[in-house]
Amino acid sequence: MVTTRILRPTRGSVTGAIVGLALALAVTACGPSPVGASPSDTPSAAASPVDSTPAVPSAADPSVDASPVGAAPSGLPSTGTADYQLGGAYPPPAGVTVVARDSTEPPAEGTYGLCYVNGFQSQPGEADRWAARGLLLLDDAGDPVADEGWPDEVLLDTSTAQSRAAVADELTTELTRCADAGFDAVELDNLDSWTRSDGRLTQDDAVALAGLLVGAAHDLGLAAVQKNTPQLGTVGRDDIGFDLAVAEECVHYDECAAYTDVYGDDVIDIEYVEPGQQADELAAEVCGTPGRPARLVVRDHDLAPAEADGYAYAACPFTPGR
């Protein structure tokens, strides 16, 4: 599931810190071709930000979350555009060097691969998986709290250190699958789920779980992607340890600076066409926007595969240092 504000498509070992914490808890109680870009299969050698928070807290105290650990992998390639293929995989258009796909798909060969994982809500049809572990957020009547815009997705309970450790442990499957498949980074969706919890969750809860997941990703050799959530500011990079960001419609909502001021050129923006609008038409409107991210992709709301009805794609030229 993609965290678009308009429409989203329906759409693996963790760190020693998470394992240790989980064990202790048991004891105590995841179209048109782009323009003006040349392809490259080689990621940039520039170092990504590394969270330097030391010391995993004592596993004997489940009220304390583990800090992100491990070295952050390299950043995005220094050339080329991107494609966002969460609705189904297909050969990337010419000039694309970065491709996002669901964790159930293989990465696109010869590109920097982003692996999509729904980290803070259940995927459609998977609520029972989380209910079996008691990890769904419940309302006062004991009913699961669904995302109002996407009622087949239920918010995960991130309100305690114990529940966060259990969620991170459960997402071992997705994170390991991303690493084993050969992806370069993991995109953790619905980081902002606390904003849809009617006050039952907080930003601090989300930040704490994100720290566990980012630490696990780094230990698996994966970079970690902040998905949306512009209100984090530098917290995403400095406190959580995210290495890059994917934003949806930051040009439309005038939010791009919230990402580029933190991650520089390591930001990918996806802008969505309106019904009846052509991808090239929207690209002509947004590609010249001052301060837009270095990589900007135009897509259809459903992120349909190429050749499918409704498929739309265009990309702005890769323009670093904007």
Side-chain angles (χ1 to χ4, degrees), residues 19 56 83 99 180 186 243:
V19 173
V56 174
D83 195 4
V99 176
D180 289 349
V186 59
D243 307 297

Side-chain angles (χ1 to χ4, degrees), residues 247-309:
E248 288 175 297
E249 302 200 288
C250 76
V251 170
H252 180 79
Y253 290 103
D254 194 22
E255 295 173 341
C256 295
Y259 303 102
T260 57
D261 285 354
V262 177
Y263 297 104
D265 292 335
D266 287 339
V267 178
I268 300 168
D269 177 43
I270 303 96
E271 301 286 326
Y272 294 99
V273 295
E274 296 298 333
Q277 187 178 33
Q278 298 299 309
D280 285 342
E281 177 187 352
L282 180 55
E285 294 177 12
V286 298
C287 287
T289 303
R292 61 110 170 146
R295 286 181 171 89
L296 190 155
V297 181
V298 171
R299 289 277 357 232
D300 55 283
H301 286 298
D302 290 334
L303 302 176
E307 309 302 329
D309 290 343

Side-chain angles (χ1 to χ4, degrees), residues 76-290:
L76 293 172
S78 57
T79 61
T81 56
D83 195 4
Y84 207 56
Q85 299 187 2
L86 302 192
Y90 54 88
V96 168
T97 60
V98 182
V99 176
R101 288 179 174 175
D102 189 79
S103 68
T104 58
E105 300 275 11
E109 185 176 356
T111 68
Y112 186 98
L114 308 184
C115 184
Y116 173 90
V117 171
N118 199 343
F120 296 80
Q121 295 181 183
S122 67
Q123 280 288 84
E126 292 191 0
D128 288 348
R129 167 192 176 187
W130 296 97
R133 294 198 61 176
L135 294 175
L136 295 179
L137 184 68
L138 305 179
D139 62 18
D140 294 340
D143 297 322
V145 178
D147 183 327
E148 290 186 0
W150 301 96
D152 54 355
E153 297 191 17
V154 179
L155 276 63
L156 302 181
D157 185 1
T158 63
S159 62
T160 68
Q162 183 170 355
S163 64
R164 291 189 290 268
V167 169
D169 179 67
E170 183 67 19
L171 287 171
T172 300
T173 301
E174 283 82 352
L175 296 178
T176 301
R177 184 164 64 215
C178 292
D180 289 349
F183 282 97
D184 299 286
V186 59
E187 174 189 343
L188 298 167
D189 198 12
N190 288 307
L191 173 62
D192 61 351
S193 65
W194 88 85
T195 65
R196 299 181 288 280
S197 71
D198 197 23
R200 296 178 178 89
L201 302 174
T202 68
Q203 178 174 323
D204 287 345
D205 295 333
V207 167
L209 174 57
L212 294 176
L213 297 175
V214 168
H218 286 172
D219 278 3
L220 287 164
L222 297 166
V225 183
Q226 175 182 324
K227 178 68 171 291
N228 294 326
T229 326
Q231 59 267 53
L232 283 186
T234 59
V235 169
R237 179 194 63 199
D238 297 342
D239 296 346
I240 298 174
F242 283 119
D243 307 297
L244 56 148
V246 167
E248 288 175 297
E249 302 200 288
C250 76
V251 170
H252 180 79
Y253 290 103
D254 194 22
E255 295 173 341
C256 295
Y259 303 102
T260 57
D261 285 354
V262 177
Y263 297 104
D265 292 335
D266 287 339
V267 178
I268 300 168
D269 177 43
I270 303 96
E271 301 286 326
Y272 294 99
V273 295
E274 296 298 333
Q277 187 178 33
Q278 298 299 309
D280 285 342
E281 177 187 352
L282 180 55
E285 294 177 12
V286 298
C287 287
T289 303

